[in-house]
Amino acid sequence: MTRPDTTTLEILERLIAFPTVSRDPNAPLMDYVAGLLRGAGIEPILVPNADGSKANLFASVGGAEGGVMLSGHTDVVPVDGQDWTRPPFALTEGGGRLYGRGTADMKGFVASALAAMLRAAGTRLASPLHLALSYDEELGCLGAHSLIALLRQGPARPAMCIVGEPTGLNVATGHKGKTGLRAICKGVEAHSALAPTGLNALHLAADLMAVIRAHQSRLAEEGLRDGDYDVPYSTLHVGKLNGGVALNIVPNLAVMEFELRNLAGDDPETLLAPIRRSADGLRDIARTRFPEADVTIEVFNAYPGLDTPDSASVVRFVKSLTGANGTIKVAFGTEGGLFSTELGVPTVVCGPGSMAQGHKADEYLETEQLARCDAMLDALLERLRAGL
């Protein structure tokens, strides 16, 4: 069985040992990565968040103009409540698998990309290799925004980008966009024995939820279709509803969070407009008896979809590195849509492993997949030495 590069495995072991759950800092991991790069003569740019607990990182070898950017995120999802049979933050190997939180999503690719950067530092490249690492991707690509702001200032202009999320090293040309929304429903409290004298905020939220569900049904029946996705239409989903203090109090506040995952061909605001109008209608009806009533909807996170044409040069290029014949589209989102839409960098998603193994207990990456990723990046370095 082909083994991954020794350096890749050593780096992966170190990366897994940092418990970079999105709610926690990633600064110690980024300090390690920055030191690793500096030791090879590569000076990274760190982009910290407001309190310095987290950072993005950008680095280049071989120049600034053109070349290929490898992109990954450093945060992982929590292990709370999961029944792990192995230590989640220690790399363990067995049965052709590498176990640990983040092995598949997506520290395996990050380790391989870092090893490639170290190899690139010891050679002459005709076209540059860039590395972009972000924080809080699992919360909705939050960290990538400040990374994009940096790249707009011009430290580098990549010709194309490979986002290394797990695709089984298939070349993915698309994913849906996402909009995270929060509905704030304000009612009027009352004793539950006199419930009709108050306005139940949870009932307002339930009425709005019914609107969202009806709109989802319309999208499923009549909406735009893209058969390359497992779910071939845009989707709406309510994920959280909080409200109420005690059973004998009519609640005066309810907060509901829902999301839209839209096909690239669907405009998010157009899809959300009927829901916003219905929310206004619910508010206006409630105010006929309770002037304090309110129903507001706010966006707290959004990123665009990715829709790279199969004919794009980045698709042909990455397929030539992997030997792939076709392309796929993936259900999960990535920072790729931001790089493509906001920076104009042609982007595909291609990385080792499967998301089916991510986000669960005993997450793993097949050793063979990581070895194939190393081989893909070796092929990339050969092309960069010759020039794109």
Side-chain angles (χ1 to χ4, degrees):
M1 181 178 64
T2 304
R3 296 280 297 168
D5 181 83
T6 300
T7 302
T8 298
L9 287 172
E10 290 172 351
I11 294 172
L12 180 58
E13 183 175 24
R14 292 293 303 274
L15 294 179
I16 297 301
F18 291 102
T20 49
V21 176
S22 302
R23 66 189 175 214
D24 298 323
N26 81 335
L29 180 148
M30 284 304 197
D31 288 342
Y32 160 71
V33 171
L36 192 67
L37 294 172
R38 290 186 182 116
I42 306 168
E43 187 56 41
I45 302 172
L46 291 168
V47 186
N49 67 349
D51 64 12
S53 63
K54 298 181 180 182
N56 301 310
L57 181 146
F58 184 81
S60 298
V61 177
E65 293 296 318
V68 177
M69 179 168 69
L70 305 176
S71 175
H73 63 82
T74 59
D75 59 317
V76 298
V77 297
V79 299
D80 308 56
Q82 296 185 340
D83 188 18
W84 284 73
T85 64
R86 296 167 173 82
F89 297 111
L91 184 67
T92 57
E93 184 173 357
R97 296 174 176 179
L98 298 161
Y99 291 91
R101 173 57 88 219
T103 47
D105 184 20
M106 58 176 296
K107 289 180 176 179
F109 176 81
V110 172
S112 187
L114 282 166
M117 289 288 286
L118 299 183
R119 294 196 297 278
T123 188
R124 183 179 180 84
L125 301 181
S127 298
L129 178 65
H130 312 283
L131 177 68
L133 301 180
S134 63
Y135 65 87
D136 285 0
E137 188 275 346
E138 296 289 1
L139 302 181
C141 299
L142 298 184
H145 292 282
S146 59
L147 184 59
I148 285 169
L150 167 74
L151 292 175
R152 282 203 185 102
Q153 297 171 15
R157 290 184 175 275
M160 60 185 71
C161 174
I162 301 171
V163 177
E165 291 275 9
T167 65
L169 292 168
N170 293 299
V171 180
T173 59
H175 63 70
K176 295 177 182 180
K178 177 181 174 180
T179 306
L181 302 109
R182 183 178 294 113
I184 302 172
C185 303
K186 295 182 179 179
V188 176
E189 69 271 18
H191 194 292
S192 63
L194 304 172
T197 67
L199 174 63
N200 192 314
L202 280 169
H203 292 181
L204 277 178
D207 291 342
L208 182 59
M209 188 185 301
V211 169
I212 293 169
R213 293 184 65 189
H215 195 46
Q216 172 63 90
S217 295
R218 286 192 292 273
L219 287 175
E221 294 172 5
E222 306 167 6
L224 185 69
R225 284 290 194 278
D226 186 337
D228 289 336
Y229 288 102
D230 293 336
V231 179
Y233 48 83
S234 297
T235 60
L236 287 155
H237 153 76
V238 176
K240 291 178 65 177
L241 176 58
N242 295 312
V245 175
L247 184 58
N248 61 354
I249 302 174
V250 173
N252 65 4
L253 179 67
V255 179
M256 181 172 68
E257 292 186 2
F258 64 103
E259 70 171 24
L260 167 68
R261 289 188 181 258
N262 65 285
L263 296 174
D266 273 333
D267 175 62
E269 281 306 314
T270 299
L271 295 184
L272 291 168
I275 296 172
R276 294 187 184 278
R277 289 194 296 269
S278 295
D280 290 344
L282 291 171
R283 176 202 62 203
D284 293 345
I285 292 170
R287 283 183 177 177
T288 60
R289 287 190 60 209
F290 302 96
E292 311 96 314
D294 204 1
V295 181
T296 59
I297 296 176
E298 61 186 28
V299 175
F300 63 84
N301 176 247
Y303 58 76
L306 177 68
D307 193 22
T308 302
D310 281 353
S311 59
S313 59
V314 64
V315 178
R316 295 193 302 273
F317 179 77
V318 179
K319 284 167 68 175
S320 75
L321 301 179
T322 65
N325 293 319
T327 61
I328 63 170
K329 293 183 179 179
V330 292
F332 53 85
T334 78
E335 65 272 24
L338 290 165
F339 291 136
S340 176
T341 302
E342 298 194 16
L343 289 178
V345 178
T347 300
V348 296
V349 184
C350 183
S354 168
M355 197 60 81
Q357 276 78 57
H359 293 216
K360 60 175 61 173
D362 291 343
E363 177 179 348
Y364 69 85
L365 172 65
E366 291 179 357
T367 307
E368 174 267 344
Q369 281 278 303
L370 189 56
R372 285 182 56 200
C373 185
D374 282 342
M376 176 183 77
L377 297 185
D378 277 340
L380 172 61
L381 289 179
E382 286 299 316
R383 297 288 290 274
L384 295 178
R385 290 185 186 103
L388 295 181

